[in-house]
Amino acid sequence: MPQSERTKPRKLPQQERSKETVEAILIATTHILVESGHESTNTNKIAERAGVSIGSLYQYFPSKEAIIAALIERHADSMTCMIEAKLLDKQEAPLEVALRELVKVCISAHTVNPKLHQVLIKQVPRVGQLEKLNDVEKRVQALIRSYLETQRNQIQPQNLDLAAFMLAHSLESLIHAAAAEPSLAVNEEFEQELTAILLCYLTCGL
Amino acid sequence: MPQSERTKPRKLPQQERSKETVEAILIATTHILVESGHESTNTNKIAERAGVSIGSLYQYFPSKEAIIAALIERHADSMTCMIEAKLLDKQEAPLEVALRELVKVCISAHTVNPKLHQVLIKQVPRVGQLEKLNDVEKRVQALIRSYLETQRNQIQPQNLDLAAFMLAHSLESLIHAAAAEPSLAVNEEFEQELTAILLCYLTCGL
Amino acid sequence: MPQSERTKPRKLPQQERSKETVEAILIATTHILVESGHESTNTNKIAERAGVSIGSLYQYFPSKEAIIAALIERHADSMTCMIEAKLLDKQEAPLEVALRELVKVCISAHTVNPKLHQVLIKQVPRVGQLEKLNDVEKRVQALIRSYLETQRNQIQPQNLDLAAFMLAHSLESLIHAAAAEPSLAVNEEFEQELTAILLCYLTCGL
Amino acid sequence: MPQSERTKPRKLPQQERSKETVEAILIATTHILVESGHESTNTNKIAERAGVSIGSLYQYFPSKEAIIAALIERHADSMTCMIEAKLLDKQEAPLEVALRELVKVCISAHTVNPKLHQVLIKQVPRVGQLEKLNDVEKRVQALIRSYLETQRNQIQPQNLDLAAFMLAHSLESLIHAAAAEPSLAVNEEFEQELTAILLCYLTCGL
DNA sequence: CATGAATGAGTCTTCATTCAT
DNA sequence: CATGAATGAAGACTCATTCAT
């Protein structure tokens, strides 16, 4: 999956100073996205907020899209890392425990910067390089898939690809939806219910 | 949730010709969205494609957003109508049958114009009046909620609001995801699995 | 020779008002080119000088290049028309008379807007659609070629294509050069000498 | 014509390394011009291609224009040197021989780096210091002028300035045009015809 | 009511050049 | 003197929307 010329970071910052610049740009972008939404996020605002000239911005990112893409990548990385760590940690645990922990860590992952997450999910068009947003699901799905493998004889579904797909997407979308729904607290009860739906699916032989 | 001045259709077309104009605009918008995506959909293109002057377009819609909102509304209506009809029809049916039918009709609903559905979901920012995209879920959730009411003693979850939320969002998101995933056929097996996850959740007492 | 999307006029002005707009744009461009040169000619200046919004400019011309190209086309047309008319008129005249008249009319053609001509020739990069500048030579060459045909047995060169090439380019470049050279008056003597070089070439059998 | 501050090479490279740097810059510029044209030649690209930092580039050249100007100067020098040598060599030769040799050497001179020559002629705006492009003609004209002096009584034209002008510009422009015209081979026949037009002009008494 | 010409604020992006390290 | 990060003026172009006809 080679990155297109338009979205590949233009040059990697080599000196300390330029690393700070890139960092400042990403942080500024995060703030603006969270405060004003994707539509009114533009490169001039980003540069200004980052305390960087517009020229510097374009030294490191070839386009506005590339900045958002980088942000998405970071965000996705940090989320999947948390999840991966937990799944590896609970590899040996009984299904119920593992699932409950998975649910917990996914919720935590969504709590890191939930406002940003919402903006990315709801406002950023999944077009071109920005499709990477879907990567989170894909990577979580892969992690789950390999976990299921180890539990193959504990679970009912035979088609592990499909089962991982079902789990990953339900998990993700329900957490999204809950986070976006002010009337619904993401509390113990929700966590419990989320664990239930996944666990039932895997174990109840209907 | 009263409509703002900016997104309420400016006047209801009452004469025959007006209705045709509105129709032409919405159809043109659909085509352009499907063919070129949301980003390159603009009012001038829409007017041209609809065979209508840009001035006339603004007679019927106060803004670009209003056009998309109208489209979303239509789309959501047609989807929820199908689902509502089916749920009412199966009100008396046993849980398993009802759920299976619900799954079937949801899949059908996504098949009416799947390309448009994808564009609306993935590319249209859920901001301002365009948040209505979420209405489909909300309305389906309400329908399910009232169905669950009738089945209260057949099912395990006690918090019906939460249960309806779980079902509606899982259903919706899994069908979306499947439709967007070329490697996954939306076939009998998928339908079966989707029914399973919902049914297990409602009946298995974990 | 189909025009590329970037340089083809965007829409032909249909109403009276828009014809005036296009005209104003071209006139403004001419003035700015003559006064400030190609490098400092930009679309914003053109629009302002034309008393037209930048948006209007882009209604009719898809790019800056397209405006210059249109100007070149006009300029080339007016030049070649003059020359064509004269050559047709002198078809029957003896060689010396015809050549002298050709020289005269070419000089006149360069005198219509010599400053513009210089800018177009010296400053506008002959790239993309702007290569049309060379069309003047090509079209003059074709006209001369067909004239030579009628004089075939009066002249020495046998390869009429080559002869037309020699005449057209010498003519053009010498007039250019003379116009650009302040120390050289484009006077009777120059006209005489120019006629001489062409006539000698065609008749003297060396 | 004193050089302006902006285009005079900033310092003459005196150490070996400096000479290499300047050389590398000019060579890189040549390559980029030939490959991508003048429009997309910029100082950052030049520096990168030359394997030199942009800062160093500005140590040796005060502006972009100065780089191109230096290139033009070199190119013009190498062309005029060839021509000068030949003309001096043929000072005693009969007119026809001298002219034929002049034609030959001019063609050779255009063959040294024809692609670069085309780019310089067609794409580089003859503005400011870049007017030097015209120097080739001027210098050739001066050389021819002094040669004609020695042949004064062999030739018809009395105004030697004008005659030199005619010869220099015809020669130059016809060779340019031929080089730019893919349909026309620069072969023996062309060489012959070019000699003819010059020789006829000088000798035939029309 | 239809038309389509006109508007202009707003955005992205480039690139010659400077300057701190 | 070399480096390359930083600068920012400048310019091309889009598109939602208005308004004269």
Side-chain angles (χ1 to χ4, degrees), chain D residues 113-202:
Chain D
N113 192 338
K115 197 77 202 303
L116 173 64
H117 192 79
Q118 290 293 323
V119 170
L120 293 180
I121 288 293
K122 299 209 324 190
Q123 297 183 26
V124 174
R126 257 71 54 80
V127 169
Q129 211 56 28
L130 302 183
E131 297 217 48
K132 276 195 255 194
L133 268 178
N134 300 331
D135 282 10
V136 182
E137 262 107 342
K138 285 207 186 117
R139 288 158 72 182
V140 171
Q141 185 178 335
L143 292 170
I144 290 179
R145 158 78 220 228
S146 72
Y147 170 75
L148 290 184
E149 196 92 50
T150 71
Q151 306 290 322
R152 173 157 252 156
N153 43 10
Q154 311 294 323
I155 63 177
Q156 296 289 339
Q158 294 305 300
N159 183 338
L160 294 193
D161 286 332
L162 185 50
F165 173 90
M166 304 293 290
L167 295 179
H169 284 283
S170 298
L171 193 53
E172 187 68 13
S173 71
L174 286 167
I175 294 174
H176 279 330
E181 182 60 45
S183 73
L184 185 72
V186 179
N187 53 15
E188 288 265 316
E189 187 191 9
F190 174 71
E191 197 181 303
Q192 167 59 35
E193 211 69 3
L194 194 40
T195 311
I197 197 171
L198 305 182
L199 188 58
C200 292
Y201 167 64
L202 286 179

Side-chain angles (χ1 to χ4, degrees), chain C residues 102-103 106 144 166-175 194 198:
Chain C
L102 174 62
V103 165
C106 278
I144 292 179
M166 305 292 290
L167 295 179
H169 283 283
S170 299
L171 193 53
E172 188 68 13
S173 70
L174 287 167
I175 294 174
L194 193 40
L198 305 182

Side-chain angles (χ1 to χ4, degrees), chain A residues 33-69:
Chain A
L33 276 176
V34 165
E35 287 163 19
S36 325
H38 178 255
E39 176 146 25
S40 47
T41 300
N42 62 286
T43 51
N44 293 303
K45 262 194 208 168
I46 293 173
E48 191 184 8
R49 177 84 174 242
V52 150
S53 77
I54 185 66
S56 288
L57 184 153
Y58 277 93
Q59 296 257 338
Y60 298 102
F61 297 96
S63 69
K64 173 188 171 177
E65 210 185 329
I67 303 174
I68 312 273

Side-chain angles (χ1 to χ4, degrees), chain C residues 11 15 17 21 53-56 59-60:
Chain C
K11 63 175 162 188
Q15 298 180 1
R17 188 155 53 126
T21 299
S53 77
I54 185 68
S56 288
Q59 294 259 340
Y60 299 102

Side-chain angles (χ1 to χ4, degrees), chain D residues 90-108:
Chain D
K90 298 297 168 185
Q91 195 110 32
E92 315 289 312
L95 203 55
E96 180 172 355
V97 175
L99 282 183
R100 186 173 312 276
E101 290 299 313
L102 174 62
V103 165
K104 273 185 207 284
V105 75
C106 277
I107 289 175
S108 307

